[in-house]
Amino acid sequence: MENNEILRVENLTIKTKTFELLHDSSFSTNKSQIVLIQGANGSGKTSILKAIMGFHERKVSIDSCKVFYKGELINHNNINEFRKKIAYVEQEDFFTARTPYEYVKQSLLLSRNPNEKIIRSKLKETVASDEEKIVNLFKHFHKESIMFKRFSTPLSGGELRITSLMAAFIRDSDLYILDEPINKLDYKTAAIVGNYISDLSARGASVLVITHCRMFMKSDKAYEIYENTLKKLEKVPLPCRQ
């Protein structure tokens, strides 16, 4: 393993009951590197994230996959610790808090202590440095207006997506895994997200972006799911794969 390698996935095979989405595919990400995995809708992109995170899907099976984080094989004994250390955004937005501000704060606290009961008791506590960090993040994405909106009131798809992203970005991690990060975002916000991802990489983080569209992303390495294989692209891919 290279000294700067953060994530390595080996021999990943993804199947449904009727066909094989991905066959015996491997890839890796290094420190200070943005890696794109691009593919059409339904090609198995989201299942790659679920395989890395150890999430199970009812209609999809993951065969013969090994995941290494900084050289350590991830298994049922250390998967929860792995999830705590990294930052990830799933394709679908799901919230376990009352407001975007509370959700982002919850993510920050959970990155330090995975005990949800303790976190719930600390949500009402105020730590000046944390409050400033959270508020500055909302300001960076020009989303101060949604900080204290209730999820029970109508928020747009883009507002929900940027909340999920900020909950990941607030974490001080060396690995960010983002599934369709600019989905539902307006042009301006998507551009800010793309620049923020570049900044994360410049600060030393490894960023894995799973997407059908890389319009706002510059990358150091890119793969495309093509005919159930993960093909490394030698040239910059086209902006979108519908």
Side-chain angles (χ1 to χ4, degrees):
M1 183 195 79
E2 298 180 29
N3 290 332
N4 63 347
E5 186 177 271
I6 301 296
L7 177 73
R8 177 157 42 101
V9 177
E10 293 183 351
N11 310 118
L12 174 59
T13 296
I14 302 173
K15 298 177 180 179
T16 68
K17 289 184 178 181
T18 56
F19 59 97
E20 195 172 61
L21 292 170
L22 198 64
H23 176 72
D24 195 27
S25 296
S26 303
F27 64 92
S28 64
T29 73
N30 292 342
K31 182 179 179 181
S32 301
Q33 190 177 61
I34 300 171
V35 177
L36 296 183
I37 295 181
Q38 191 175 13
N41 292 329
S43 61
K45 301 186 304 299
T46 292
S47 295
I48 293 174
L49 180 145
K50 292 185 181 298
I52 295 170
M53 300 305 301
F55 298 147
H56 297 287
E57 297 181 271
R58 287 185 299 172
K59 297 181 180 180
V60 176
S61 63
I62 309 296
D63 294 346
S64 62
C65 173
K66 290 183 179 180
V67 177
F68 297 86
Y69 174 61
K70 295 196 286 191
E72 182 180 8
L73 177 65
I74 302 303
N75 53 43
H76 69 278
N77 293 318
N78 58 13
I79 185 67
N80 289 329
E81 186 67 18
F82 169 65
R83 291 171 183 165
K84 173 192 169 185
K85 289 179 179 178
I86 73 168
Y88 62 96
V89 174
E90 298 186 66
Q91 185 177 19
E92 300 298 326
D93 300 305
F94 176 77
F95 304 101
T96 55
R98 294 171 297 180
T99 67
Y101 179 90
E102 189 177 279
Y103 185 70
V104 173
K105 183 176 182 178
Q106 176 179 277
S107 179
L108 176 61
L109 296 175
L110 282 170
S111 70
R112 299 169 182 163
N113 188 330
N115 189 314
E116 293 186 9
K117 290 184 179 179
I118 293 177
I119 298 309
R120 281 195 293 270
S121 68
K122 288 186 175 183
L123 277 175
K124 294 182 180 180
E125 295 180 5
T126 300
V127 178
S129 58
D130 286 351
E131 302 297 317
E132 182 180 12
K133 183 177 182 180
I134 296 167
V135 170
N136 285 340
L137 189 62
F138 276 90
K139 287 181 177 179
H140 182 86
F141 291 100
H142 307 292
K143 298 299 178 185
E144 306 99 297
S145 63
I146 71 167
M147 283 197 298
F148 300 108
K149 282 188 176 181
R150 295 260 179 175
F151 286 120
S152 57
T153 63
L155 272 74
S156 71
E159 289 171 339
L160 296 175
R161 176 92 303 212
I162 197 64
T163 299
S164 294
L165 288 167
M166 287 189 291
F169 293 156
I170 199 69
R171 292 175 171 238
D172 183 17
S173 178
D174 56 12
L175 176 61
Y176 296 80
I177 302 177
L178 312 175
D179 191 356
E180 299 287 6
I182 61 174
N183 190 30
K184 303 176 185 177
L185 298 183
D186 60 74
Y187 186 95
K188 181 180 178 181
T189 305
I192 297 173
V193 168
N195 290 333
Y196 197 91
I197 289 172
S198 295
D199 290 343
L200 289 174
S201 174
R203 297 201 296 264
S206 176
V207 186
L208 175 63
V209 178
I210 299 171
T211 182
H212 76 281
C213 183
R214 50 91 57 213
M215 189 176 297
F216 300 97
M217 311 287 176
K218 69 174 186 178
S219 63
D220 302 290
K221 186 164 56 175
Y223 298 88
E224 182 176 26
I225 300 175
Y226 181 74
E227 293 183 348
N228 85 338
T229 61
L230 202 58
K231 177 183 177 183
K232 187 176 180 180
L233 299 176
E234 301 300 329
K235 296 180 180 180
V236 176
L238 294 174
C240 295
R241 295 282 188 253
Q242 297 298 336

